[in-house]
Amino acid sequence: MADETKPRSRTMRVLRGLWWLVDTGRRAILNLLLLLVLGAVAWAALRGGPAPLADKTVLVINPQGPIREQFSGSLRENALQKARGSELEQTRLRDLLTALDAGAADPRISSALLVLDDFAGAGLPTLREVAAAVDRFKAGGKKVVAWGSSYDQRQYYLAAHANEVWLHPMGGVEISGMGSQRSYFKGALDQLGVTAHVVRAGRFKNAAETLAADGPSPETGEADRELYDGLWADYTSAVEYARRLPRGSLDRALAELPERLAAAGGDGAKLAAREGLIDAMKTRDELRAALIARGERDGESFRQIGFGAYAARFAPPPAGDTVAVVVAEGPIVDGDAGPGTIGGLSTAALVRDAREDKQVRAVVLRVNSPGGSAFGSELVRRELELTRAAGKPVVVSMGDVAASGGFWISTAADEILADPATITGSIGVIAVLPTAERGLERLGIHTEGYRTGWLAGGYDPRQPLDPRLEQVLQSSIGHVYGQFLARVAAARKTTPERIDEIGQGRVWTGAQARVRGLVDRSGGLRDALAVAAARAKLAPGYRVHYVERSPGSAERLMAWFGGLGASALEPLLQPALQAALPPPLPAPLAELKQQTAWLLQSADGRRPAAMAHCLCAAP
C-alpha cells in the first residue's frame, strides 16, 4: 500500500506557510495603521497650535446650512464629515457670535465678509442674535460687506446689517412675507378607514388638528393671524431700519411688485438696486478683486480666515467662576436623546452635572423647542428647580421656539428672557389615539378575544376606541393641564385662572408673551448670560461653559485624524451609514411622518402619552 502521509505533510506545510504569510501581513498592516495614527497625533502636537494671523485679514462669515444651538444628528456622521475636511451642513450659533465678537476687538482682523449662498436659514430670534453681533463688529469701526448670488428672506435679514450689500448681476432679493401652509389628512385617513381620536386641554391646542380635521379651526385662524402679523412687522421694521428705508417700504414694494419688476425690465438685481436693498452688483471675481484692493493679497485671493477656524482659537479658560449653558433644543422625549433632541433623562443629567460642578455659579438654559412629552419636560424642570434650591441662579434664554413643553421646562427659572419674535406659550396638553377598525373591516380582518375587563388590553388600534377610555384620557389630560397651569402660575406669581385665560394652547410672539406676563424681559443669549452673572454676583471675565455630552472614542479618533486617511476610511464607513438611513419619502408622506412622529416619541406602552407639544416652528 502506498504511503499517503508524505503528500499530506507537504500539504500541511504549504497551508502553514500560507497562514504565516497571511498572519504576518495582517500584523504588518495593523502596525502600519498604528504608526500612522501615532504619527498623526505627534504631528498635530508638534504643530503647536494654529498659525499666526497676519494683519489685514478678512473674517469670512459663510454659514453652512441652518444655524443651530448645537450640532445635531449622528455623531458618527458629523465626525466622518469633519475627518473628510468637509463643512458640516449646519452652523453653530455660538461659533458665529464668538468669531464676530472676537474679531471686533482683534487688530489683525480688518473687516468681515458675509457670504450667504449656503445659509439655509434660522428663526428670527437667531437671525437677530447674529445681526446684533454684526452690529457690534461694525461699532468698532470695521466694515462688513455682504455678497450673494441671490438672497432669500432670511439671508437678506443678515445682509441688510452689512455696511455694503453686493449682489450678483443675475441675482435678486426674494422677500415674500410670512405664513404657514398645513396639510390636513382627515380625508385621506377616512379613505384608509383610520380615525384620529383627539383628547386635548385648550381651545387653541391645535397640534393634532391636521389629523382630525379637513381645515383650520377659527381658533387656529385667529392665532395664526396675530402671530404672523406680529412677526412680519418685526421683520420689516428691522430691515427698513438697517437699510435706512422709509417705514412701510417693503410692504409697498410687495404690493406693487408686478408693476415695479416690469419697469425694471424683469431684472431682479436692477429692481433690488432701485428699491435700495443693495449697494452694488458684482460677480464673484469682482468681489475678490475689490477685497484684494482694500486689503492684502494672499495667493490668488484676499487674506482671509473662516469663522469656524477663527472661533476655535478662543477656547474658554479651563477653570474659574463659570456660567454654565445647557442647550435644550428639539422635541422633548422621555428617555435619553442625542444632540438636536431633548431627552428627559439625558438633558436632566446635564443640568445635574452643572449643579454639581463647584465652579458653576449660575445656569442658563437655552431653549429652542416646540415641546413634546409632558413627563420628559417635568424631569428637566425638576432638575432646574433643584439647581435653584442649591443656591445657583437659573436663567432661561428662549430662542426661535420655546412653546408648550419648551415653556414647561422654563417655569423653574429665576428669570425668563425671550426675543420679541420667539414663538412661545402654547400652554396646553394633547393626546391622539388613532384607530383603524374601519380600514381593517374593509379588508375583511376582524379582531376578537377574551378580556377580564374592558380596560384589559386598553387601547387597541384595531378596535373602536372605548368611550370609557376616552373619558379616562380626558380626565388624565385635564389633570396634566392643571399641573401645567399651576407650575406657570407659581413661576409667574399669579393664579392658575389667569394663566388659563392666556393659555388654552395658544402661541404668542415673545413681545406678546411679555405683555401678558409670561416672560420677564426681551433679550438674547448674551443678555441672559449677563443676567445670570449678575444674579450670581460674578465679576467681568467669568467663564462661559456649554455643558454637553462628551464625545465618544470614535469621534475623538476622527478629530485626531483630521483629514488624514479620510478618503481611505470613507469607503469602509459609508456603506454602513447608508444602510442605516431610510430611503427618502415622497413629500406628502414625509410631512405626515413629521407631523405624527412626535405622537410616538414618549409612548412606551405603559401609559397614555400626554404631550405638551405645539407642532410649531420658526417661520
Side-chain angles (χ1 to χ4, degrees):
M1 180 179 292
D3 187 359
E4 296 180 357
T5 59
K6 290 184 179 180
R8 288 179 179 175
S9 62
R10 284 196 298 271
T11 301
M12 292 301 297
R13 284 198 297 274
V14 170
L15 290 174
R16 281 197 293 269
L18 289 173
W19 176 251
W20 180 85
L21 286 173
V22 170
D23 187 52
T24 302
R26 175 182 62 84
R27 294 185 182 189
I29 291 172
L30 290 175
N31 289 337
L32 180 59
L33 287 174
L34 178 60
L35 287 173
L36 283 173
V37 172
L38 293 175
V41 173
W43 175 72
L46 291 173
R47 288 181 65 191
L53 199 63
D55 290 339
K56 294 185 178 180
T57 297
V58 177
L59 177 62
V60 178
I61 306 294
N62 57 334
Q64 307 291 308
I67 298 176
R68 302 191 185 282
E69 301 293 337
Q70 60 185 184
F71 293 129
S72 61
S74 164
L75 292 175
R76 181 172 56 175
E77 282 186 70
N78 292 345
L80 178 60
Q81 201 163 347
K82 287 181 182 178
R84 285 159 46 191
S86 302
E87 294 282 354
L88 287 176
E89 293 182 355
Q90 50 186 300
T91 297
R92 213 164 47 174
L93 175 62
R94 76 187 79 155
D95 296 333
L96 289 172
L97 302 184
T98 297
L100 284 164
D101 287 333
D106 191 338
R108 299 165 299 178
I109 298 294
S110 59
S111 61
L113 170 66
L114 300 179
V115 181
L116 300 169
D117 279 10
D118 296 322
F119 171 44
L124 191 49
T126 298
L127 295 176
R128 201 190 318 272
E129 295 263 14
V130 180
V134 171
D135 289 341
R136 292 193 295 270
F137 186 94
K138 293 183 339 186
K142 299 182 179 183
K143 299 292 185 183
V144 178
V145 171
W147 181 88
S149 56
S150 63
Y151 296 106
D152 66 21
Q153 187 163 291
R154 296 177 181 181
Q155 292 169 345
Y156 187 74
Y157 186 95
L158 295 184
H161 287 261
N163 296 97
E164 298 176 80
V165 181
W166 297 349
L167 174 68
H168 192 282
M170 291 187 67
V173 178
E174 301 168 7
I175 297 177
S176 55
M178 288 187 179
S180 68
Q181 297 290 321
R182 304 180 183 91
S183 295
Y184 289 82
F185 298 97
K186 181 179 183 301
L189 295 177
D190 284 345
Q191 293 186 47
L192 296 172
V194 175
T195 302
H197 303 272
V198 178
V199 182
R200 65 180 182 175
R203 293 188 303 113
F204 291 87
K205 195 68 179 177
N206 63 355
E209 190 174 77
T210 56
L211 303 176
D214 289 319
S217 65
E219 289 83 1
T220 294
E222 176 188 341
D224 282 355
R225 255 190 322 275
E226 191 161 352
L227 176 69
Y228 289 116
D229 284 348
L231 294 175
W232 178 239
D234 192 322
Y235 179 94
T236 55
S237 62
V239 168
E240 288 163 357
Y241 179 81
R243 290 296 299 171
R244 297 179 175 85
L245 298 173
R247 190 170 182 178
S249 295
L250 292 182
D251 278 327
R252 287 191 294 273
L254 285 176
E256 300 169 7
L257 178 61
E259 297 82 6
R260 295 191 185 194
L261 184 58
D267 188 331
K270 185 176 180 181
L271 175 63
R274 285 186 177 183
E275 299 295 337
L277 300 178
I278 65 170
D279 299 293
M281 287 178 269
K282 292 186 184 294
T283 60
R284 188 178 285 270
D285 58 287
E286 290 171 337
L287 161 72
R288 190 180 304 117
L291 293 181
I292 290 173
R294 294 182 180 187
E296 294 288 341
R297 179 183 289 274
D298 185 1
E300 295 301 315
S301 189
F302 53 93
R303 185 175 293 163
Q304 60 187 274
I305 184 171
F307 76 90
Y310 185 64
R313 294 169 176 252
F314 300 94
D321 287 342
T322 301
V323 175
V325 180
V326 177
V327 173
E329 182 171 49
I332 302 172
V333 299
D334 284 353
D336 292 314
T341 302
I342 303 169
L345 291 176
S346 51
T347 304
L350 295 179
V351 176
R352 188 162 56 251
D353 289 344
R355 182 174 70 249
E356 294 173 352
D357 187 335
K358 294 182 179 179
Q359 295 187 80
V360 172
R361 302 284 302 281
V363 174
V364 169
L365 183 73
R366 176 67 169 180
V367 182
N368 187 16
S369 171
S373 163
F375 180 69
S377 301
E378 175 58 17
L379 294 180
V380 178
R381 190 208 64 82
R382 176 58 178 165
E383 290 296 333
L384 292 167
E385 183 178 56
L386 292 174
T387 301
R388 288 178 65 195
K392 297 186 177 183
V394 174
V395 175
V396 164
S397 171
M398 292 181 168
D400 294 342
V401 181
S404 208
F407 196 90
W408 185 306
I409 64 177
S410 302
T411 58
D414 291 287
E415 200 162 345
I416 299 175
L417 282 74
D419 184 272
T422 296
I423 297 176
T424 188
S426 192
I427 300 167
V429 188
I430 194 168
V432 181
L433 292 89
T435 59
E437 70 278 3
R438 291 180 295 129
L440 294 176
E441 186 176 347
R442 292 172 189 172
L443 296 173
I445 300 174
H446 302 278
T447 302
E448 296 291 344
Y450 173 77
R451 296 183 293 181
T452 59
W454 70 269
L455 195 55
Y459 164 62
D460 188 335
R462 298 170 299 175
Q463 296 183 327
L465 184 66
D466 192 304
R468 292 170 291 183
L469 178 58
E470 187 169 4
Q471 182 180 354
V472 167
L473 284 177
Q474 186 66 66
S475 297
S476 175
I477 294 299
H479 172 68
V480 176
Y481 181 54
Q483 289 182 306
F484 202 165
L485 295 177
R487 302 218 186 285
V488 177
R492 307 313 303 164
K493 297 179 174 60
T494 185
T495 64
E497 292 75 21
R498 168 59 182 156
I499 297 301
D500 188 34
E501 292 174 9
I502 57 178
Q504 294 290 327
R506 181 160 183 173
V507 294
W508 307 98
T509 67
Q512 294 163 353
R514 185 182 178 192
V515 170
R516 288 161 177 81
L518 293 179
V519 301
D520 295 294
R521 66 171 85 179
S522 296
L525 178 58
R526 180 186 177 97
D527 303 303
L529 290 170
V531 169
R535 283 181 168 272
K537 298 180 173 57
L538 299 183
Y542 58 86
R543 175 174 174 257
V544 175
H545 172 62
Y546 280 78
V547 183
E548 296 177 311
R549 190 184 71 170
S550 300
S553 56
E555 188 181 24
R556 288 196 296 269
L557 180 61
M558 290 288 190
W560 286 344
F561 264 110
L564 183 66
S567 58
L569 288 171
E570 183 180 1
L572 299 175
L573 295 180
Q574 195 62 27
L577 291 174
Q578 290 177 342
L581 296 175
L585 292 172
L589 293 180
E591 184 179 358
L592 178 59
K593 179 181 178 182
Q594 177 190 11
Q595 293 192 20
T596 55
W598 62 272
L599 297 172
L600 307 176
Q601 285 170 339
S602 69
D604 58 10
R606 292 181 289 117
R607 60 178 180 272
M611 305 295 289
H613 201 299
C614 73
L615 200 64
C616 49

